[in-house]
Amino acid sequence: LDHIKHIIYDKYFRRNKTMSNSIAIDGPAGAGKSTIAKNLAREIGYMYVDTGAMYRAIAYYMVKNGIDPEDEAKVSAALKSVDVMLDYSEDDGQIVLLNGENVNAYIRTPEVSAAASATAKYTAVREKLLDLQRNIAAKKNVIMDGRDIGTNVLPDAMIKIYLTASADCRAERRFLELKEKGMDADLESIKADIIARDEQDMNRPIAPLKQAPDAILVDTSDMNIEQVVARLEEIYRNGR
Ligand code: DC
């Protein structure tokens, strides 16, 4: 019976899915990747995968356990106690499970953002997440966003987008988003955080953020959400 199950499973996925159906969206912090990707996923019936949340979960573990994100040896050693998994719910969308616990509520702080960018430089951290990301894309039609999706995780993606906007623009959007949620926010410090993270994510030796040669550049500085989603849907339908 197991053998037959295997054959059916295999046929089902071979017929319905290859890795190359995927859509890769990369870009700097605050470019609106997750908002846009979520909307597009809904429009075209894809599953949205936020890889930044996985890096954030690892960073959160380090912060919570007093492990210095700048200490590569300690971070790498601690990884053996870290298990990251994704789950999905109707209400919350993607849920990141850190050792079985839903950590969505804890991974968006400025401290975890900075720690995620720091720990994402390390080979051990990236290797831990790479297989997980590829396995998800092998099973489902995904829109996956991050920094190295088109260049490294899914080099055969059907469509690659490099989504960006000026640093001023990205900082202002994040500022307004926080204010809307009634949270305290300082535009200058948000901008400084964004620039520091860009710097680190673009200049690390392993899988740095950069536009893949076959990625389509979408600069959203002068676009609203609807316009960006429409542009990406057009790229999805026409390939350009
Ligand atoms: O997309 P985000 O802002 O949630 O990502 C948080 C950090 O994780 C980002 O500053 C760098 C790292 N990251 C990465 O190195 N590679 C990815 N594919 C996604 C995120």
PDB file of all heavy atoms in Angstrom, residues 29 33 50-53 55-56 108 113 116-117 120 126 146-149 197 201 204, ligand 1:
ATOM      1  N   ALA A  29      14.811  45.860   2.785  1.00  0.00           N
ATOM      2  CA  ALA A  29      13.868  45.983   3.898  1.00  0.00           C
ATOM      3  C   ALA A  29      12.850  47.086   3.638  1.00  0.00           C
ATOM      4  O   ALA A  29      13.211  48.186   3.219  1.00  0.00           O
ATOM      5  CB  ALA A  29      14.637  46.277   5.185  1.00  0.00           C
ATOM      6  N   LYS A  33       7.489  44.043   0.108  1.00  0.00           N
ATOM      7  CA  LYS A  33       7.441  42.692  -0.455  1.00  0.00           C
ATOM      8  C   LYS A  33       6.296  41.859   0.118  1.00  0.00           C
ATOM      9  O   LYS A  33       5.557  41.227  -0.629  1.00  0.00           O
ATOM     10  CB  LYS A  33       8.766  41.947  -0.208  1.00  0.00           C
ATOM     11  CG  LYS A  33       9.979  42.596  -0.859  1.00  0.00           C
ATOM     12  CD  LYS A  33      11.221  41.748  -0.687  1.00  0.00           C
ATOM     13  CE  LYS A  33      11.660  41.540   0.756  1.00  0.00           C
ATOM     14  NZ  LYS A  33      12.120  42.779   1.438  1.00  0.00           N
ATOM     15  N   ASP A  50       7.024  33.726   3.433  1.00  0.00           N
ATOM     16  CA  ASP A  50       7.848  34.833   3.909  1.00  0.00           C
ATOM     17  C   ASP A  50       9.110  34.242   4.532  1.00  0.00           C
ATOM     18  O   ASP A  50       9.084  33.768   5.663  1.00  0.00           O
ATOM     19  CB  ASP A  50       7.002  35.609   4.936  1.00  0.00           C
ATOM     20  CG  ASP A  50       7.798  36.650   5.697  1.00  0.00           C
ATOM     21  OD1 ASP A  50       8.994  36.845   5.410  1.00  0.00           O
ATOM     22  OD2 ASP A  50       7.205  37.272   6.600  1.00  0.00           O
ATOM     23  N   THR A  51      10.228  34.260   3.792  1.00  0.00           N
ATOM     24  CA  THR A  51      11.448  33.635   4.329  1.00  0.00           C
ATOM     25  C   THR A  51      12.102  34.497   5.400  1.00  0.00           C
ATOM     26  O   THR A  51      12.813  33.992   6.258  1.00  0.00           O
ATOM     27  CB  THR A  51      12.482  33.338   3.220  1.00  0.00           C
ATOM     28  OG1 THR A  51      12.929  34.571   2.641  1.00  0.00           O
ATOM     29  CG2 THR A  51      11.905  32.434   2.146  1.00  0.00           C
ATOM     30  N   GLY A  52      11.858  35.811   5.358  1.00  0.00           N
ATOM     31  CA  GLY A  52      12.417  36.695   6.380  1.00  0.00           C
ATOM     32  C   GLY A  52      11.950  36.276   7.765  1.00  0.00           C
ATOM     33  O   GLY A  52      12.718  36.345   8.740  1.00  0.00           O
ATOM     34  N   ALA A  53      10.708  35.795   7.847  1.00  0.00           N
ATOM     35  CA  ALA A  53      10.161  35.374   9.136  1.00  0.00           C
ATOM     36  C   ALA A  53      10.950  34.192   9.714  1.00  0.00           C
ATOM     37  O   ALA A  53      11.069  34.054  10.933  1.00  0.00           O
ATOM     38  CB  ALA A  53       8.687  35.008   8.992  1.00  0.00           C
ATOM     39  N   TYR A  55      14.245  33.685   9.227  1.00  0.00           N
ATOM     40  CA  TYR A  55      15.476  34.269   9.769  1.00  0.00           C
ATOM     41  C   TYR A  55      15.183  34.991  11.077  1.00  0.00           C
ATOM     42  O   TYR A  55      15.980  34.965  12.021  1.00  0.00           O
ATOM     43  CB  TYR A  55      16.117  35.223   8.746  1.00  0.00           C
ATOM     44  CG  TYR A  55      16.776  34.459   7.625  1.00  0.00           C
ATOM     45  CD1 TYR A  55      16.105  34.207   6.434  1.00  0.00           C
ATOM     46  CD2 TYR A  55      18.058  33.948   7.781  1.00  0.00           C
ATOM     47  CE1 TYR A  55      16.693  33.470   5.417  1.00  0.00           C
ATOM     48  CE2 TYR A  55      18.660  33.212   6.772  1.00  0.00           C
ATOM     49  CZ  TYR A  55      17.970  32.973   5.600  1.00  0.00           C
ATOM     50  OH  TYR A  55      18.550  32.228   4.610  1.00  0.00           O
ATOM     51  N   ARG A  56      14.041  35.640  11.120  1.00  0.00           N
ATOM     52  CA  ARG A  56      13.649  36.346  12.340  1.00  0.00           C
ATOM     53  C   ARG A  56      13.437  35.382  13.507  1.00  0.00           C
ATOM     54  O   ARG A  56      13.778  35.691  14.653  1.00  0.00           O
ATOM     55  CB  ARG A  56      12.371  37.153  12.085  1.00  0.00           C
ATOM     56  CG  ARG A  56      12.614  38.396  11.246  1.00  0.00           C
ATOM     57  CD  ARG A  56      11.299  39.051  10.828  1.00  0.00           C
ATOM     58  NE  ARG A  56      11.551  40.220  10.006  1.00  0.00           N
ATOM     59  CZ  ARG A  56      11.800  41.440  10.499  1.00  0.00           C
ATOM     60  NH1 ARG A  56      11.764  41.647  11.797  1.00  0.00           N
ATOM     61  NH2 ARG A  56      12.046  42.445   9.687  1.00  0.00           N
ATOM     62  N   ARG A 108       8.895  40.894  15.113  1.00  0.00           N
ATOM     63  CA  ARG A 108       8.891  42.134  14.310  1.00  0.00           C
ATOM     64  C   ARG A 108       9.479  43.325  15.033  1.00  0.00           C
ATOM     65  O   ARG A 108       9.327  44.457  14.580  1.00  0.00           O
ATOM     66  CB  ARG A 108       7.460  42.473  13.860  1.00  0.00           C
ATOM     67  CG  ARG A 108       6.759  41.359  13.106  1.00  0.00           C
ATOM     68  CD  ARG A 108       7.172  41.278  11.659  1.00  0.00           C
ATOM     69  NE  ARG A 108       6.836  39.978  11.087  1.00  0.00           N
ATOM     70  CZ  ARG A 108       7.380  39.481   9.987  1.00  0.00           C
ATOM     71  NH1 ARG A 108       8.283  40.166   9.327  1.00  0.00           N
ATOM     72  NH2 ARG A 108       7.033  38.296   9.546  1.00  0.00           N
ATOM     73  N   SER A 113      14.802  42.526  14.222  1.00  0.00           N
ATOM     74  CA  SER A 113      15.144  42.869  12.831  1.00  0.00           C
ATOM     75  C   SER A 113      16.658  42.959  12.663  1.00  0.00           C
ATOM     76  O   SER A 113      17.233  42.374  11.739  1.00  0.00           O
ATOM     77  CB  SER A 113      14.540  44.223  12.424  1.00  0.00           C
ATOM     78  OG  SER A 113      13.144  44.204  12.516  1.00  0.00           O
ATOM     79  N   ALA A 116      18.292  39.593  13.050  1.00  0.00           N
ATOM     80  CA  ALA A 116      18.038  38.718  11.893  1.00  0.00           C
ATOM     81  C   ALA A 116      19.020  39.036  10.772  1.00  0.00           C
ATOM     82  O   ALA A 116      19.588  38.140  10.148  1.00  0.00           O
ATOM     83  CB  ALA A 116      16.598  38.886  11.404  1.00  0.00           C
ATOM     84  N   SER A 117      19.224  40.320  10.541  1.00  0.00           N
ATOM     85  CA  SER A 117      20.161  40.728   9.499  1.00  0.00           C
ATOM     86  C   SER A 117      21.580  40.283   9.858  1.00  0.00           C
ATOM     87  O   SER A 117      22.340  39.825   9.001  1.00  0.00           O
ATOM     88  CB  SER A 117      20.086  42.247   9.316  1.00  0.00           C
ATOM     89  OG  SER A 117      20.948  42.671   8.302  1.00  0.00           O
ATOM     90  N   ALA A 120      21.830  36.321   9.672  1.00  0.00           N
ATOM     91  CA  ALA A 120      21.614  35.813   8.304  1.00  0.00           C
ATOM     92  C   ALA A 120      22.911  35.799   7.501  1.00  0.00           C
ATOM     93  O   ALA A 120      22.954  35.263   6.398  1.00  0.00           O
ATOM     94  CB  ALA A 120      20.557  36.656   7.593  1.00  0.00           C
ATOM     95  N   ARG A 126      22.096  30.026   7.167  1.00  0.00           N
ATOM     96  CA  ARG A 126      21.506  29.968   5.829  1.00  0.00           C
ATOM     97  C   ARG A 126      21.278  28.527   5.395  1.00  0.00           C
ATOM     98  O   ARG A 126      20.258  28.211   4.797  1.00  0.00           O
ATOM     99  CB  ARG A 126      22.385  30.709   4.806  1.00  0.00           C
ATOM    100  CG  ARG A 126      22.680  32.153   5.183  1.00  0.00           C
ATOM    101  CD  ARG A 126      22.949  33.014   3.964  1.00  0.00           C
ATOM    102  NE  ARG A 126      21.742  33.232   3.187  1.00  0.00           N
ATOM    103  CZ  ARG A 126      20.832  34.159   3.473  1.00  0.00           C
ATOM    104  NH1 ARG A 126      20.976  34.980   4.477  1.00  0.00           N
ATOM    105  NH2 ARG A 126      19.759  34.265   2.715  1.00  0.00           N
ATOM    106  N   GLY A 146      12.130  37.362  -0.024  1.00  0.00           N
ATOM    107  CA  GLY A 146      13.318  37.362   0.823  1.00  0.00           C
ATOM    108  C   GLY A 146      14.405  38.229   0.229  1.00  0.00           C
ATOM    109  O   GLY A 146      14.129  39.316  -0.306  1.00  0.00           O
ATOM    110  N   ARG A 147      15.651  37.754   0.335  1.00  0.00           N
ATOM    111  CA  ARG A 147      16.788  38.507  -0.191  1.00  0.00           C
ATOM    112  C   ARG A 147      17.510  37.739  -1.298  1.00  0.00           C
ATOM    113  O   ARG A 147      18.120  38.336  -2.170  1.00  0.00           O
ATOM    114  CB  ARG A 147      17.808  38.795   0.927  1.00  0.00           C
ATOM    115  CG  ARG A 147      17.264  39.585   2.117  1.00  0.00           C
ATOM    116  CD  ARG A 147      16.920  41.010   1.725  1.00  0.00           C
ATOM    117  NE  ARG A 147      16.500  41.806   2.885  1.00  0.00           N
ATOM    118  CZ  ARG A 147      15.338  41.673   3.506  1.00  0.00           C
ATOM    119  NH1 ARG A 147      14.454  40.781   3.090  1.00  0.00           N
ATOM    120  NH2 ARG A 147      15.037  42.444   4.539  1.00  0.00           N
ATOM    121  N   ASP A 148      17.460  36.409  -1.217  1.00  0.00           N
ATOM    122  CA  ASP A 148      18.262  35.569  -2.122  1.00  0.00           C
ATOM    123  C   ASP A 148      17.411  34.526  -2.824  1.00  0.00           C
ATOM    124  O   ASP A 148      17.898  33.471  -3.201  1.00  0.00           O
ATOM    125  CB  ASP A 148      19.357  34.853  -1.319  1.00  0.00           C
ATOM    126  CG  ASP A 148      18.779  33.889  -0.276  1.00  0.00           C
ATOM    127  OD1 ASP A 148      17.647  34.117   0.191  1.00  0.00           O
ATOM    128  OD2 ASP A 148      19.452  32.889   0.035  1.00  0.00           O
ATOM    129  N   ILE A 149      16.124  34.791  -2.986  1.00  0.00           N
ATOM    130  CA  ILE A 149      15.236  33.756  -3.541  1.00  0.00           C
ATOM    131  C   ILE A 149      15.535  33.539  -5.029  1.00  0.00           C
ATOM    132  O   ILE A 149      15.759  32.412  -5.464  1.00  0.00           O
ATOM    133  CB  ILE A 149      13.736  34.104  -3.315  1.00  0.00           C
ATOM    134  CG1 ILE A 149      13.481  34.488  -1.846  1.00  0.00           C
ATOM    135  CG2 ILE A 149      12.845  32.938  -3.734  1.00  0.00           C
ATOM    136  CD1 ILE A 149      13.910  33.463  -0.831  1.00  0.00           C
ATOM    137  N   ARG A 197      20.497  47.834   7.670  1.00  0.00           N
ATOM    138  CA  ARG A 197      20.130  46.474   7.264  1.00  0.00           C
ATOM    139  C   ARG A 197      20.432  46.257   5.766  1.00  0.00           C
ATOM    140  O   ARG A 197      20.966  45.215   5.388  1.00  0.00           O
ATOM    141  CB  ARG A 197      18.646  46.240   7.560  1.00  0.00           C
ATOM    142  CG  ARG A 197      18.369  44.866   8.067  1.00  0.00           C
ATOM    143  CD  ARG A 197      17.378  44.765   9.199  1.00  0.00           C
ATOM    144  NE  ARG A 197      16.079  45.355   8.997  1.00  0.00           N
ATOM    145  CZ  ARG A 197      15.034  44.704   8.465  1.00  0.00           C
ATOM    146  NH1 ARG A 197      15.156  43.480   8.008  1.00  0.00           N
ATOM    147  NH2 ARG A 197      13.868  45.300   8.379  1.00  0.00           N
ATOM    148  N   ASP A 201      22.820  43.358   4.445  1.00  0.00           N
ATOM    149  CA  ASP A 201      22.235  42.303   3.604  1.00  0.00           C
ATOM    150  C   ASP A 201      22.851  42.293   2.197  1.00  0.00           C
ATOM    151  O   ASP A 201      22.954  41.247   1.564  1.00  0.00           O
ATOM    152  CB  ASP A 201      20.706  42.485   3.492  1.00  0.00           C
ATOM    153  CG  ASP A 201      19.993  42.312   4.833  1.00  0.00           C
ATOM    154  OD1 ASP A 201      20.612  41.772   5.777  1.00  0.00           O
ATOM    155  OD2 ASP A 201      18.815  42.732   4.939  1.00  0.00           O
ATOM    156  N   ARG A 204      27.145  41.049   2.489  1.00  0.00           N
ATOM    157  CA  ARG A 204      27.678  39.818   3.100  1.00  0.00           C
ATOM    158  C   ARG A 204      28.219  38.903   1.993  1.00  0.00           C
ATOM    159  O   ARG A 204      27.745  38.952   0.849  1.00  0.00           O
ATOM    160  CB  ARG A 204      26.582  39.122   3.912  1.00  0.00           C
ATOM    161  CG  ARG A 204      25.457  38.612   3.046  1.00  0.00           C
ATOM    162  CD  ARG A 204      24.342  37.959   3.880  1.00  0.00           C
ATOM    163  NE  ARG A 204      23.245  37.583   3.011  1.00  0.00           N
ATOM    164  CZ  ARG A 204      21.958  37.770   3.296  1.00  0.00           C
ATOM    165  NH1 ARG A 204      21.592  38.329   4.421  1.00  0.00           N
ATOM    166  NH2 ARG A 204      21.038  37.392   2.436  1.00  0.00           N
TER     167      ARG A 204
HETATM  168  O1   DC B   1      12.304  40.302   4.971  1.00  0.00           O
HETATM  169  P1   DC B   1      12.625  40.638   6.438  1.00  0.00           P
HETATM  170  O2   DC B   1      12.865  42.083   6.663  1.00  0.00           O
HETATM  171  O3   DC B   1      11.619  40.057   7.372  1.00  0.00           O
HETATM  172  O4   DC B   1      14.030  39.875   6.719  1.00  0.00           O
HETATM  173  C1   DC B   1      14.711  39.988   7.948  1.00  0.00           C
HETATM  174  C2   DC B   1      16.197  39.742   7.736  1.00  0.00           C
HETATM  175  O5   DC B   1      16.421  38.371   7.380  1.00  0.00           O
HETATM  176  C3   DC B   1      16.843  40.549   6.619  1.00  0.00           C
HETATM  177  O6   DC B   1      17.351  41.785   7.093  1.00  0.00           O
HETATM  178  C4   DC B   1      17.940  39.651   6.101  1.00  0.00           C
HETATM  179  C5   DC B   1      17.464  38.260   6.411  1.00  0.00           C
HETATM  180  N1   DC B   1      16.958  37.530   5.242  1.00  0.00           N
HETATM  181  C6   DC B   1      17.890  36.920   4.433  1.00  0.00           C
HETATM  182  O7   DC B   1      19.081  37.053   4.657  1.00  0.00           O
HETATM  183  N2   DC B   1      17.481  36.163   3.378  1.00  0.00           N
HETATM  184  C7   DC B   1      16.181  36.019   3.083  1.00  0.00           C
HETATM  185  N3   DC B   1      15.807  35.256   2.049  1.00  0.00           N
HETATM  186  C8   DC B   1      15.208  36.665   3.889  1.00  0.00           C
HETATM  187  C9   DC B   1      15.644  37.428   4.961  1.00  0.00           C
END
